[in-house]
Amino acid sequence: MVMLWRGLYILPLLFVSGNCQFLFPFLHHFNKPIHSNHVGGGGYIEPNAGGFFPVDGGFAAKGGDDNLESFKIDDGSADQKKKKGNANVSVETKYKGKWKLFTQNAGVSAMHLILLPKIDQALMFDATVWKQSKLKLPGPPCRQVEGTNEQDCFCHSVLLDIETAKIRPLRLKYDTWCSSGALDVNGRLISTGGYNNGSDTVRILDICPNCDWQEYPGALGNGRWYATQVTLGDGRFMVFGGRNFPTYEFVPPEGQRNAKNQVFPFKFLAETHDAVENNLYPFVYLSTDGNLFIFANNRSILLNPKTQQILHEFPVLPGGARNYPASGSSCLLPIALQPYETRKLIPAEVLICGGTSHEAFAQADLKRPKVFVPANKDCARIDITKRNGKWKIQTMPSPRLMGDAVVLPTGDVLLINGAQSGSAGWDDARDPNFTPVLYRVRGGAGSKFTELKPSQIARLYHSSFALLPDGKILIAGSNTNPGYIDSALFPTEVRVEKFSPHYFDPNLNKFRLEIVLDKSANQIKYGNRFTVQIRGADKALDEQKLQVNIYYPAFTTHGISMNQRLVQLGTIQVIKNVAPETHNIILQAPIHGNIAPPGYYMLFVNYNGVPCRRAMWVQMLP
C-alpha cells in the first residue's frame, strides 16, 4: 500500500496528505434586535455495569410519580395541557456577544473535544502520530512509538477544568487521529477508531479524579478512520464508515472483540464515495422512531438498525458535498415534547449548513498553484420523520466550511468556526470565518440569521467546541499543519476561548434563574414526572415564559458533532411560591430512549429566552 503526500506516493509509515487522507486518484452588520426563541424500545443498563452494552429489559412507557419526589398534580383541561411547555418566547437584544481568552496554552490542539459530565472537565485530544505537542508528560512511562525503539514523551490528551483552566495530562498509546466517540449511560467516554494502530481500537475514559484511558486494540472488526459513532435508544453504540471501509458495526462490550461476521457491508457509503471521498464522517442521527438518518456527500437515507434495512431515501441536497473533506456542519434540531405526550411519531429535523463543491479538495490539495473554491452559503433543513420530506434551503450571511453547529440552551443554533474558501486538508483553506451566526430555529419574521461579534482567532481545520453548563461556548483547536508548527500561515492553535452568546446581554440578567440542586431530581426515568426547583423569579412568575431543555453533550471533531441533542420537555405544572421567589416546575420525562438515549444531560431552565445561571447534570435512566 502506498500513500499520497503532496501529490507523491510514499511508504505508508509516513504521514498522509492533508490530515488523514490517502490513496486519492486523482460582515453583514448587526443593526437590528435578535429574537431569541424558545423551541420546542431499548434495554436497561445497570448504572455501575462494567460494560457499556444494555442488558435485556424495556422502557417505561407511561407516566408515574418519580420515586424521588411526591406532589399533587393539577392536570387541568385539554387546552391547558396543550399549551404548557410549548411557549415561543422572544427576547429583543442588540447584544452581539463577548469573547474571552480562557487559556493561552492548553497543551494540545483540540482536534477532538467533549465535556465530561459531573466533573465539568473538557476532554481534549489530538493524535499520537505527530509525536509532539505543547506539553510534556509529567514523567515516565513514555509512549513506545510503534515499529521503532523511539520514545514519545509528549502528552496528546488532557482534561481541562472549565472554571480554573487547570490541565491534567492523560496517557494514550493507540493513535486517536480522526477518531469518534460518545458518552455511555454512566458518563464515560467510549471512543472508537483512529489511525494506524488505533484504527480498530475501543478506548474508555471514566469520570473520576484519577482516571486515565483504558484501551482495547483489535476490538473493532474494521479499521475506523474518519468514522461516525452514534448512540441508539437502548444505549448501544454503532460506528459507521471510515476510510476504505464502507461498513458499519455495533461497538462491542468492554474487553470483547467483534468478529468479521459482526461487520455489515453498507452499499450506501460505497455509492456516495466520489473521486475525493466527500463521504467520510457521515452525519448520523437517531430519529425519534428509532431509525437512523444517515447523510453522506449529498445523499441521505433512513436505516433500521435492527433489521439493517434501508427504509427510505430522501431527496438529494443540491449544491455540492457536505461531508469530509467538503466539510459542512450539521446538527439535529431540538425535539419539542408536549406534556402528557401521546403522539405516535414526534417530529425531528436535521440542519446542514455550508460545505463546498465536490472538486474543492482536489483544487486545493492536488492542484498547483492551489485553487481555493468558495464555500457554500446555503443552510438546509429537513423533517426526517416524513417520507415526503423535502429540503428547505436558506442563505447564510457568509460562506462557511469546516464550521461547527452548536445547539444552544435556548434551542437556537450558533454557527461558528471554519473558512470561507478551500477545503479540509493541510493548508487547504483560506479566508477564516471569524463571525458567529445565530440561526433562529422557530418562528420570527424576517431573516433567521444574525451575525454576532467576531473572534480574533482563526479556527479552521481541526477546530472544536463544547457547550458549557453556564451557557457559554468553549472553543478550541485549529491545526492546518501536519504537526505542531508555529511558523505557518495559520499556526497550530493551542489557545482556548469562551464565547458568551447574545443571551448574556447584561440587561437580561434579571431573567437568569438559579436551579436549587438539593430540591431538584438529578435522576430521571422514562415516562415519569419529576421536579425542578428554581429560585430568583418573583411571585408574579409568568409560566408561559418558562422552558426546560435537556442537552446531551456533543463529541466534536472535523466539523461533526456526534450525538449532540437537545430535547424540550413538556411542563405539567408550575407550583409557585413554595418559598420566597422560589417555584417548583413539574415536568414530564421523555417516554423512551429514541427521544433521549440513556445517559447524562445538562438540564437548562430558560426564562423569557434566557438560560439559567448554571445547568444541572441529570442522568436519564430506563
Side-chain angles (χ1 to χ4, degrees), residues 269-396:
L269 283 181
E271 292 173 346
T272 53
H273 183 286
D274 64 22
V276 292
E277 298 176 317
N278 280 326
N279 71 340
L280 297 180
Y281 276 134
F283 304 138
V284 184
Y285 299 106
L286 174 68
S287 184
T288 54
D289 59 7
N291 296 311
L292 295 174
F293 173 85
I294 304 172
F295 186 102
N297 201 320
N298 61 358
R299 292 173 55 191
S300 51
I301 55 96
L302 202 63
L303 176 75
N304 184 322
K306 295 180 179 179
T307 65
Q308 286 87 51
Q309 297 297 309
I310 292 178
L311 305 177
H312 179 69
E313 180 156 2
F314 295 92
V316 170
L317 179 58
R322 314 294 169 158
N323 299 93
Y324 182 89
S327 296
S329 57
S330 177
C331 66
L332 181 72
L333 293 178
I335 298 167
L337 302 181
Q338 298 172 356
Y340 313 95
E341 186 63 73
T342 59
R343 290 173 293 176
K344 292 182 179 180
L345 186 60
I346 296 167
E349 290 185 274
V350 165
L351 182 74
I352 298 177
C353 296
T356 188
S357 67
H358 296 276
E359 68 278 3
F361 173 80
Q363 293 287 304
D365 196 80
L366 304 178
K367 192 169 184 177
R368 295 296 180 271
K370 288 174 175 281
V371 175
F372 302 100
V373 177
N376 292 343
K377 293 180 68 175
D378 60 350
C379 225
R381 60 192 282 183
I382 192 169
D383 188 330
I384 63 174
T385 61
K386 291 181 178 178
R387 298 297 183 266
N388 60 349
K390 297 188 184 330
W391 292 101
K392 300 175 182 177
I393 300 176
Q394 296 167 304
T395 302
M396 298 185 289

Side-chain angles (χ1 to χ4, degrees), residues 509-528:
N509 281 342
K510 59 186 177 182
F511 300 118
R512 293 179 73 83
L513 305 179
E514 177 187 358
I515 298 176
V516 184
L517 297 179
D518 61 352
K519 298 293 184 180
S520 301
N522 59 14
Q523 285 190 328
I524 304 172
K525 291 189 176 182
Y526 292 114
N528 284 11

Side-chain angles (χ1 to χ4, degrees), residues 4-18:
L4 182 63
W5 173 257
R6 299 298 182 215
L8 299 177
Y9 288 94
I10 61 174
L11 295 176
L13 291 179
L14 300 181
F15 297 157
V16 283
S17 170

Side-chain angles (χ1 to χ4, degrees), residues 32 93 95 112 122 158 168 191 232 270 293 299 379 401 415 417 458 501 507 546 563 586 592 594 619:
K32 58 180 180 293
T93 174
Y95 190 66
H112 313 82
V158 300
R168 181 163 78 87
S191 174
L232 301 180
F293 173 85
R299 292 173 55 191
C379 225
L401 73 139
L415 304 172
N417 300 336
N507 294 322
L546 274 176
N563 298 292
I586 314 303
H592 55 70
N594 294 330
Q619 188 181 26

Side-chain angles (χ1 to χ4, degrees), residues 58-89:
F59 290 126
K62 61 180 181 179
D65 289 349
D66 192 294
N67 58 13
L68 301 176
E69 295 287 342
S70 176
F71 44 77
K72 181 180 179 180
I73 296 294
D74 175 14
D75 285 348
S77 68
D79 288 342
Q80 288 173 325
K81 292 179 186 180
K82 189 173 181 180
K83 287 181 180 178
K84 286 179 183 290
N86 289 285
N88 191 18
V89 179

Side-chain angles (χ1 to χ4, degrees), residues 22-36:
F22 72 77
L23 288 180
F24 288 126
F26 43 146
L27 242 37
H28 179 74
H29 296 290
F30 193 106
N31 57 9
K32 58 180 180 293
I34 300 172
H35 300 278
S36 176

Side-chain angles (χ1 to χ4, degrees), residues 113-124 158-170 183 187 205-209 466-469 474 553 614 617:
L113 175 59
I114 189 170
L115 179 67
L116 298 183
K118 296 180 68 176
I119 61 173
D120 287 342
Q121 304 275 313
L123 172 65
M124 304 189 301
V158 300
L159 284 173
L160 174 71
D161 188 292
I162 62 172
E163 299 297 336
T164 66
K166 183 179 179 181
I167 292 170
R168 181 163 78 87
L170 301 174
L183 299 176
L205 181 65
D206 207 341
I207 48 174
C208 63
L467 175 65
L468 301 180
L474 192 76
R614 191 174 188 86
W617 287 105

